[in-house]
Amino acid sequence: MKICVYGAASPTIDSQYMKKVEEMGSEMAKRGHSLVFGGGGNGLMGAAARGVHSAGGYILGVVPQFFKDENIEEICDFCDELIYTDSMRSRKQIMEDNADAFIVVPGGIGTFEEFFEMITLKSLEQIHHPI
């Protein structure tokens, strides 16, 4: 199963959350699941990727080009596939199109926005994936 993880990109997240999300990522990979995520190298996004990577799982990162061009956040450098998009909107669409399920871990405004979009689509029966 391809699991999309939404979560904080901030590097200032409490270490207890980082550890738990990294463990979650490792467990995902051990169970044969792959990661779809926003491509960040820091915060809980980076923790999920490190966990999946440590257990040999497949990682698809999706990053807006301007994150790289404007050095907005660190980009994960060990993704199996890294897709650059022209906007945040297309980033979310690619992540949604490539996921069979969604997990939301602690985050900020962007994480809430992604969560509410998935909940809205599910309530309108436009997606049927587990959240």
Side-chain angles (χ1 to χ4, degrees), residues 61-102:
V62 186
V63 182
Q65 182 66 45
F66 71 91
F67 275 30
K68 180 179 178 183
D69 295 345
E70 299 174 24
N71 200 31
I72 290 181
E73 72 181 44
E74 182 180 329
I75 298 169
C76 181
D77 61 0
F78 51 80
C79 294
D80 294 288
E81 182 179 359
L82 190 59
I83 298 172
Y84 285 98
T85 66
D86 60 357
S87 68
M88 293 292 282
R89 183 174 310 257
S90 59
R91 173 198 208 185
K92 290 187 308 178
Q93 187 65 59
I94 290 170
M95 290 166 67
E96 177 188 333
D97 290 346
N98 282 278
D100 302 310
F102 301 89

Side-chain angles (χ1 to χ4, degrees), residues 49-63:
R50 284 190 303 278
V52 170
H53 183 71
S54 73
Y58 181 86
I59 301 170
L60 168 62
V62 186
V63 182

